[in-house]
């Protein structure tokens, strides 16, 4: 059986600024689950800079029995286009989708795009493997945990959720060899990505991670992490690595053991990782620095305790100051994530966050507008309070306003976002030139938002005028 896994082409603001997006590891994991018994191909429509016509030609040439698609919320219409292209070529090809958006909107997804036969919800490896085997052998789909699918006559069936994989070391290595690894380059720097843990015990209002991968944190063993890093380093020549874990420092002992082992093995890599400000300490910081880490990404989010409490972040501004000081003390760069535009946030509180971004001491800042993605508590809050301005998924970018706000108009919060970037990076104007010359790679990944805001202003205004029912790919 031939299985074609696709990340659709899309008009990606991130790619315009950074040069590319990262590898679709989710597809690479799925490929590893079934490639021993089936022929598998991965298409990264973004990194390979493909058009829909290009993908259509690939589908015709490969002639798959199943097409699997993944997409973020803002790229859902591109995913729908791939589904339609597939069915137009051969209506017997089984089309399945996965990812965070469809996990929380399986019925809506299949109603918006009837060309999709099934949706894999949540952690997808085992569900996908069972699905492929069932389709290959012509068995019924009933009973496959974690699967939603079309039963016919407009009926959609949701099977019960699948229990999380307890030992994530049992998941095969992602199939890097099926990805266009030569395409993942930012500022002339080839980079690789790795996810060494899954699950998050926290419940931030804007994040669906704990619902997608569970509240129970599950980490790969240190040995497994080093094995995967060695593959990236020696088989693909990657010296720059991004750890994609939600919170690399959640297990403090492991957060020390991994960089210690990296140093002992002489891997000669540099890397970035994310941390909560209240799971970070000097011992971890020193180990990370010694092991090649150059930048730590902190989810600071706000300088207002009221806002932090509203989103359930579970931290204080003082903890953010302490964590950044600790990082800087040992020579690590700090990148801070900040969000403005929560429903009850006042202008003063938003300004407090912008000022705090400068005060807290981070080297780089990433600002976004609060966006209620399906599955999040913020989505539920927005629905309950009739705050959604649109369900045009194209606008769910974190830089386009999609919620009614009590103290801002959509234009007002967009203006505040631009002000945040300009206020932080133009201190004075020569600073940004100096930063680009010395830290081009990390800076470009940090400030992608500011350029995206300007690139996407016209597109966003036009998209906002298009009613959802009018979007068609026929």
């Amino acid at each position: 059986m031939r299985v074609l896994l696709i990340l659709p082409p899309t008009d990606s603001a991130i790619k315009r600024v950074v040069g590319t997006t990262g590898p679709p590891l989710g597809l690479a994991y799925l490929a590893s689950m079934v490639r021993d018994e089936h022929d598998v191909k991965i298409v990264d429509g973004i990194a390979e800079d493909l058009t829909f016509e290009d993908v259509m030609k690939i589908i015709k040439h490969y002639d798959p029995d199943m097409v699997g698609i993944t997409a973020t919320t803002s790229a859902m219409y591109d995913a729908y286009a791939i589904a339609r292209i597939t069915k137009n070529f051969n209506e017997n090809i089984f089309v399945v989708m996965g990812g965070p958006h469809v996990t929380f909107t399986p019925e809506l997804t299949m109603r918006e795009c009837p060309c999709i036969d099934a949706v894999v919800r949540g952690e997808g490896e085992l569900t996908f493997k069972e699905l492929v085997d069932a389709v290959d052998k012509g068995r019924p789909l009933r009973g496959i945990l974690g699967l939603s699918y079309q039963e016919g006559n407009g009926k959609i069936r949701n099977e019960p959720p699948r229990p999380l994989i307890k030992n994530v070391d049992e998941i095969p290595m992602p199939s890097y060899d099926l990805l266009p690894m030569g395409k993942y380059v930012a500022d002339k720097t080839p980079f690789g990505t790795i996810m060494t843990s899954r699950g998050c015990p926290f419940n931030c209002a804007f994040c669906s991670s704990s619902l997608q991968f569970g509240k129970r944190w599950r980490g790969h063993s240190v040995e497994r992490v080093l094995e995967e890093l060695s593959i990236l380093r020696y088989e693909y020549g990657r010296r720059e690595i991004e750890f994609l874990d939600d919170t690399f420092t959640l297990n403090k002992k492991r957060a020390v053991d991994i960089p210690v082992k990296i140093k002992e093995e002489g891997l000669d890599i540099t890397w970035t990782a994310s941390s909560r400000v209240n799971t970070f300490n000097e011992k971890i910081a020193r180990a990370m620095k010694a092991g090649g880490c150059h930048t730590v990404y902190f989810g600071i989010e706000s300088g207002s305790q009221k806002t932090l409490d509203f989103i359930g972040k579970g931290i204080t501004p003082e903890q953010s100051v302490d964590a950044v000081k600790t990082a800087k003390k040992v020579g690590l760069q700090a990148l801070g994530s900040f969000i403005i535009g929560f429903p009850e946030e006042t202008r003063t509180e938003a300004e407090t966050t912008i000022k705090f971004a400068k005060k807290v001491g981070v080297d780089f800042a990433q600002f976004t507008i609060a966006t209620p993605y399906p599955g999040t508590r913020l989505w539920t809050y927005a629905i309950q309070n009739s705050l959604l301005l649109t369900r045009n998924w194209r606008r769910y970018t974190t830089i386009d306003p999609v919620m009614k706000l009590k103290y801002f108009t959509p234009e007002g919060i967009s203006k505040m976002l631009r002000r945040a970037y300009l206020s932080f990076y133009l201190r004075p104007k020569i600073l940004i030139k100096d930063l680009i010359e010395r830290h081009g790679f990390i800076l470009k990944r940090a400030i992608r938002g500011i350029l995206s805001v300007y690139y996407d202003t016209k597109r966003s205004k036009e998209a906002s005028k298009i009613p959802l029912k009018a979007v068609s790919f026929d």
Side-chain angles (χ1 to χ4, degrees):
M1 179 163 154
R2 288 182 299 279
V3 180
L4 182 60
L5 302 175
I6 302 174
L7 177 66
T10 192
D11 182 21
S12 170
I14 295 175
K15 182 174 181 180
R16 287 197 297 270
V17 177
V18 180
T20 188
T21 55
L25 287 186
L27 296 184
Y29 279 115
L30 296 182
S32 295
M33 293 297 293
V34 300
R35 66 184 301 182
D36 287 345
E37 300 176 3
H38 305 280
D39 191 315
V40 185
K41 180 180 178 65
I42 298 177
V43 173
D44 186 340
I46 298 177
E48 297 176 72
D49 201 21
L50 302 178
T51 64
F52 288 104
E53 184 176 352
D54 294 330
V55 177
M56 180 175 64
K57 291 178 181 177
I58 292 171
I59 293 172
K60 288 182 177 180
H61 182 264
Y62 189 65
D63 193 18
D65 301 291
M66 176 182 287
V67 167
I69 310 168
T70 188
T72 59
T73 298
S74 63
M76 283 304 296
Y77 300 129
D78 302 311
Y80 294 170
I82 295 297
R84 292 181 188 231
I85 288 170
T86 300
K87 289 294 189 179
N88 285 339
F89 168 63
N90 182 351
E91 64 180 11
N92 294 317
I93 297 175
F94 193 94
V95 177
V96 57
M97 277 199 68
H101 179 92
V102 299
T103 286
F104 305 111
T105 61
E107 295 183 23
L108 175 62
T109 294
M110 287 183 277
R111 289 195 176 109
E112 285 185 345
C113 184
C115 291
I116 297 169
D117 296 301
V119 163
V120 171
R121 309 190 314 269
E123 193 170 52
E125 286 85 1
L126 295 178
T127 299
F128 182 70
K129 179 174 174 54
E130 284 192 32
L131 173 65
V132 171
D133 291 343
V135 172
D136 182 38
K137 294 177 173 60
R139 294 198 305 257
L141 304 184
R142 188 176 290 264
I144 299 179
L145 299 179
L147 189 71
S148 299
Y149 53 93
Q150 307 261 14
E151 282 193 308
N153 298 320
K155 294 182 179 180
I156 295 172
R157 180 178 177 84
N158 296 307
E159 296 292 346
R162 179 176 293 275
L164 296 169
I165 300 171
K166 293 181 179 180
N167 181 7
V168 291
D169 276 1
E170 295 176 354
I171 303 171
M173 292 282 182
S175 296
Y176 291 110
D177 61 307
L178 297 183
L179 296 172
M181 293 297 287
K183 298 289 187 178
Y184 305 116
V185 179
D187 196 43
K188 300 182 180 179
T189 302
F191 68 95
T193 57
I194 182 173
M195 182 173 286
T196 75
S197 64
R198 297 182 177 189
C200 177
F202 304 101
N203 192 29
C204 297
F206 55 86
C207 180
S208 63
S209 180
S210 63
L211 299 173
Q212 172 84 354
F213 291 109
K215 283 185 168 295
R216 180 170 172 263
W217 181 89
R218 298 156 293 141
H220 284 300
S221 64
V222 175
E223 293 73 22
R224 159 69 183 247
V225 174
L226 266 292
E227 182 183 358
E228 191 166 343
L229 287 172
S230 296
I231 291 172
L232 288 169
R233 174 67 184 86
Y234 298 121
E235 294 186 23
Y236 297 99
R238 293 304 190 261
R239 284 192 166 92
E240 177 65 34
I241 307 293
E242 288 188 67
F243 282 72
L244 300 179
D245 306 48
D246 288 321
T247 308
F248 177 76
T249 59
L250 190 61
N251 183 317
K252 293 182 172 63
K253 181 180 184 301
R254 180 176 172 277
V256 170
D257 290 345
I258 289 175
V260 166
K261 199 67 175 177
I262 289 173
K263 184 177 181 180
E264 288 179 355
E265 295 291 327
L267 275 184
D268 186 28
I269 60 172
T270 56
W271 47 283
T272 64
S274 297
S275 175
R276 285 177 60 92
V277 298
N278 59 347
T279 61
F280 192 74
N281 59 40
E282 188 169 335
K283 182 178 181 181
I284 292 174
R286 290 193 180 280
M288 290 174 66
K289 176 64 177 178
C293 181
H294 58 78
T295 303
V296 59
Y297 180 112
F298 291 116
I300 297 172
E301 320 311 359
S302 179
S304 162
Q305 189 63 59
K306 177 185 172 184
T307 299
L308 291 171
D309 293 341
F310 172 79
I311 64 179
K313 187 68 182 180
I315 63 173
T316 66
E318 291 73 26
Q319 287 175 314
S320 293
V321 172
D322 290 343
V324 173
K325 282 183 178 178
T326 299
K328 303 293 285 295
K329 179 180 179 181
V330 304
L332 288 170
Q333 296 177 118
L335 188 160
S337 167
F338 302 91
I339 305 174
I340 59 174
F342 288 103
E344 300 294 324
E345 187 176 50
T346 66
R347 181 172 296 275
T348 297
E349 288 163 347
E351 290 174 342
T352 295
T353 292
I354 295 172
K355 292 176 182 176
F356 187 66
K358 294 181 284 188
K359 175 185 174 183
V360 73
V362 293
D363 299 281
F364 313 107
Q366 174 182 287
F367 297 94
T368 55
I369 296 174
T371 302
Y373 286 106
T376 65
R377 287 196 298 112
L378 189 58
W379 170 266
T380 301
Y381 183 92
I383 295 295
Q384 291 175 343
N385 292 279
S386 301
L387 298 182
L388 291 186
L389 292 171
T390 178
R391 291 203 190 198
N392 180 348
W393 304 127
R394 187 75 75 186
R395 296 194 62 199
Y396 282 64
T397 62
T398 74
I399 59 174
D400 291 313
V402 295
M403 275 193 301
K404 298 175 187 175
L405 303 179
K406 190 171 183 179
Y407 299 102
F408 290 94
T409 63
E411 295 77 13
I413 195 63
S414 293
K415 183 177 180 180
M416 185 67 77
L417 180 65
R418 291 191 292 270
R419 175 182 166 189
Y421 273 105
L422 294 171
S423 176
F424 185 89
Y425 284 104
L426 302 186
R427 299 179 290 154
K429 191 173 182 179
I430 192 66
L431 176 60
I432 196 167
K433 179 178 183 295
D434 180 54
L435 282 171
I436 290 174
E437 290 174 348
R438 293 187 290 115
H439 307 294
F441 175 78
I442 188 64
L443 179 64
K444 284 188 177 182
R445 297 192 73 77
I447 67 168
R448 60 184 180 266
I450 187 171
L451 296 182
S452 300
V453 169
Y454 291 109
Y455 278 128
D456 292 346
T457 296
K458 182 177 180 180
R459 177 186 61 77
S460 298
K461 289 181 178 178
E462 292 174 349
S464 67
K465 300 175 183 176
I466 304 174
L468 184 60
K469 63 181 180 182
V471 178
S472 174
F473 297 97
D474 290 327

